[in-house]
Amino acid sequence: MSLPAPSADALAASHALQHRIAADIARHGGAIPFASFMEQALYAPDLGYYSGGAAKLGKDGDFTTAPEMSPLFGAALAQVAAAIMAQSAPHILEFGAGTGKLARDVLTELAAQGVTVERYAIVELSGELRARQQEALRDFPQVTWLDGIPERFDGVILGNEVLDAMPVHLVMKTDDGWRELHVTVADGRFAYQPAALAPVLAAQLASQVPEADQLPPGYVTELHGTACGFMGSVGALLARGKGAAILLDYGFPGHEFYHPDRATGTLMCHYRHHAHDDPFYLPGLQDITAHVDFTAMALAAQDAGADVLAYMSQATFLLGAGIGELLLRTDPADAMRYLPQANAVHKLLSPAEMGELFKVLVVGKDVELPAALAASDRAHRL
């Protein structure tokens, strides 16, 4: 691959993480599940992608998220948050808040509407991103940071591109049935090694992958155990309280996710705004993601006691949340101000950009969505 060269310090950090993972592989008899490799590559203390110090978002990072494109994304979410908080409590909990821009845009819009947010709590695993958030949100005293999921919560939960960064298990169909892909060290490099499918993964495969036995040999896909566990925790949290969680990410319902033509899975890596499919390239310096199985996410939340309130494309959600009206706050005749915002909104809505690939799942308890969103619900497609 022709990718930008890292700095000497970054390369040294990646090598240190590679040695740490290789030592873990040796301790476990020569191989570890890919999910363990992915977890260490992303979250190993001080060296993992999200726990280290490298910039991740924006023009100097590895990818750009929707909040970085336009403040209208957060302003649109604020419209929905206000409606949910009016039925529950004036609290927001955000997982994985990135640079803090989404929180800032949501709080700014709500303040402009006269809507009080008593507490905006953030759960952030990255020390570098938490520091950026604290700087970006220094003018909002109601913002606090948590180290984990609280016992009880009433209000709105936000998660933008959180589920895709959770470790996944890789499984492969062979002539002898399904196998899990482990990671080993061969000739000084990380490599895949098929292994027997553990009973818990076999059960997950049976429940998550429609017609798994009919998929062809060589078919590779992901099982989302960690994300399902997270959604179960969110569902249980909402079941004990009152409110809704809004999860935005790229992915598909299960019957589309495990289509026979998607034979190599959805695993993708992001490094300096380059996308590729090699998770073993410079561990700790690149993001590793997988598309989200939204059917599995909805079922996990539902099994934990929450209700599935809506599922739709990002474009449908943002339009229902009023992003078009928000754009028109800027006079179209003022081309210098209007055109950049219009271009950003186009990227958020266009089927060729983020509008269709990104989906929105809303789960909750004892609240209703605004009528424009409820009318656009496509949960029957899950």
Side-chain angles (χ1 to χ4, degrees):
M1 292 180 294
S2 178
L3 296 173
S7 68
D9 288 345
L11 191 60
S14 180
H15 287 162
L17 179 57
Q18 292 175 56
H19 287 303
R20 182 182 295 186
I21 296 173
D24 187 53
I25 289 172
R27 284 194 301 271
H28 286 84
I32 58 175
F34 177 80
S36 297
F37 171 89
M38 183 172 173
E39 181 175 12
Q40 293 182 67
L42 296 180
Y43 302 109
D46 301 321
L47 296 175
Y49 180 75
Y50 284 107
S51 52
K56 298 156 185 66
L57 301 170
K59 64 182 180 63
D60 296 324
D62 302 302
F63 53 92
T64 300
T65 61
E68 310 297 318
M69 294 181 181
S70 171
L72 298 181
F73 179 81
L77 275 176
Q79 313 306 312
V80 185
I84 294 170
M85 289 191 297
Q87 303 170 64
S88 53
H91 306 141
I92 298 176
L93 172 63
E94 184 179 1
F95 289 96
T99 63
K101 191 172 186 306
L102 177 59
R104 188 177 66 196
D105 292 340
V106 167
L107 287 168
T108 299
E109 175 65 21
L110 291 173
Q113 293 183 21
V115 176
T116 298
V117 179
E118 292 182 358
R119 189 184 191 208
Y120 194 115
I122 295 174
V123 177
E124 179 57 67
L125 299 179
S126 167
E128 182 262 334
L129 289 177
R130 181 184 287 210
R132 294 177 68 178
Q133 294 159 16
Q134 290 170 339
E135 174 63 22
L137 298 167
R138 64 184 183 279
D139 295 331
F140 298 94
Q142 68 269 58
V143 179
T144 60
W145 281 263
L146 308 176
D147 293 324
I149 299 178
E151 287 296 316
R152 180 185 172 87
F153 180 77
D154 299 283
V156 179
I157 298 172
L158 299 177
N160 182 57
E161 292 196 54
V162 170
L163 296 170
D164 66 87
M166 295 187 177
V168 295
H169 288 269
L170 292 184
V171 292
M172 180 175 66
K173 179 74 173 295
T174 72
D175 291 331
D176 299 319
W178 286 92
R179 297 289 184 267
E180 182 179 8
L181 292 182
H182 283 202
V183 178
T184 188
V185 178
D187 299 323
R189 300 172 61 86
F190 294 122
Y192 289 121
Q193 176 177 290
L197 200 64
V200 65
L201 284 183
Q204 189 177 351
L205 178 76
S207 65
Q208 189 172 322
V209 184
E211 301 180 349
D213 291 340
Q214 273 66 57
L215 292 170
Y219 191 96
V220 174
T221 193
E222 302 92 25
L223 298 179
H224 305 77
T226 301
C228 285
F230 170 79
M231 287 301 300
S233 297
V234 169
L237 188 64
L238 291 167
R240 292 192 293 267
K242 186 177 184 180
I246 305 171
L247 291 308
L248 305 98
D249 226 312
Y250 45 89
F252 314 97
H255 64 91
E256 294 179 18
F257 195 107
Y258 305 104
H259 192 279
D261 290 342
R262 193 166 283 112
T264 58
T266 71
L267 201 73
M268 188 59 61
C269 305
H270 302 274
Y271 176 71
R272 304 280 187 86
H273 293 278
H274 291 72
H276 64 92
D277 61 1
D278 181 6
F280 303 141
Y281 178 78
L282 296 179
L285 301 188
Q286 66 172 356
D287 194 17
I288 307 174
T289 73
H291 285 50
V292 176
D293 174 355
F294 279 102
T295 301
M297 300 305 110
L299 289 173
Q302 184 174 273
D303 290 346
D307 299 322
V308 178
L309 302 182
Y311 169 76
M312 63 193 71
S313 70
Q314 176 175 285
T316 301
F317 178 85
L318 291 177
L319 288 169
I323 198 169
E325 293 81 356
L326 294 170
L327 173 61
L328 291 177
R329 288 178 180 175
T330 302
D331 185 355
D334 185 354
M336 291 291 289
R337 295 179 60 240
Y338 178 79
L339 288 179
Q341 291 288 4
N343 288 336
V345 169
H346 174 76
K347 289 183 178 180
L348 294 172
L349 300 180
S350 170
E353 299 277 354
M354 300 176 69
E356 291 297 323
L357 177 60
F358 278 71
K359 309 298 194 307
V360 182
L361 174 66
V362 187
V363 298
K365 200 69 178 178
D366 298 329
V367 296
E368 296 181 356
L369 290 178
L373 289 177
S376 301
D377 176 35
R378 297 292 182 269
H380 62 274
R381 296 181 58 189
L382 288 170

